[in-house]
Amino acid sequence: MQELQDAVDEPRPGTEIHHIAERTAAERWGFPRSEIESRENLVRIPTLKHYDITGWYGRQNDKFGGLSPREYLADKGLEERMRVGREALILYEVLKP
């Protein structure tokens, strides 16, 4: 995780900055910008993995009772959002378990 977080300051072709806890949803729920843009919430990952993870957040998932991860997280706090975000990074093999 530390490598991915440290890489945020090093732009590289084929990578993008990813918010572990989704930025747009966190903004809607009134999380402070300081938490959304904090070093702990940002990682640099391959662009295609970023697209895959973003799509995953919008698809129904049995693990979340048939809700999409985004729907499941709608009323959850930052800790749960971060946990699910780390889970997605592991699922898409960006982060080792």
Side-chain angles (χ1 to χ4, degrees), residues 67-97:
L67 299 174
S68 71
R70 194 171 288 129
E71 292 168 325
Y72 164 77
L73 292 168
D75 62 348
K76 304 297 187 278
L78 189 60
E79 185 175 319
E80 180 66 357
R81 291 169 185 268
M82 293 291 287
R83 186 194 69 73
V84 170
R86 285 188 299 271
E87 183 178 305
L89 291 171
I90 292 168
L91 178 66
Y92 284 93
E93 299 178 343
V94 176
L95 182 65
K96 294 180 183 176

Side-chain angles (χ1 to χ4, degrees), residues 8-68:
V8 166
D9 295 328
E10 302 169 20
R12 280 185 254 143
T15 67
E16 294 183 349
I17 294 175
H18 171 71
H19 290 78
I20 299 169
E22 280 195 307
R23 177 182 54 206
T24 303
E27 287 173 341
R28 267 191 228 127
W29 281 92
F31 286 92
R33 168 100 23 221
S34 60
E35 288 182 1
I36 297 169
E37 300 298 334
S38 73
R39 190 66 157 176
E40 293 78 28
N41 193 38
L42 301 176
V43 290
R44 182 171 294 282
I45 65 173
T47 300
L48 294 178
K49 297 284 185 175
H50 194 198
Y51 295 164
D52 288 342
I53 292 169
T54 300
W56 175 82
Y57 268 96
R59 287 191 299 275
Q60 291 180 333
N61 189 316
D62 290 339
K63 187 169 187 172
F64 302 108
L67 299 174
S68 71

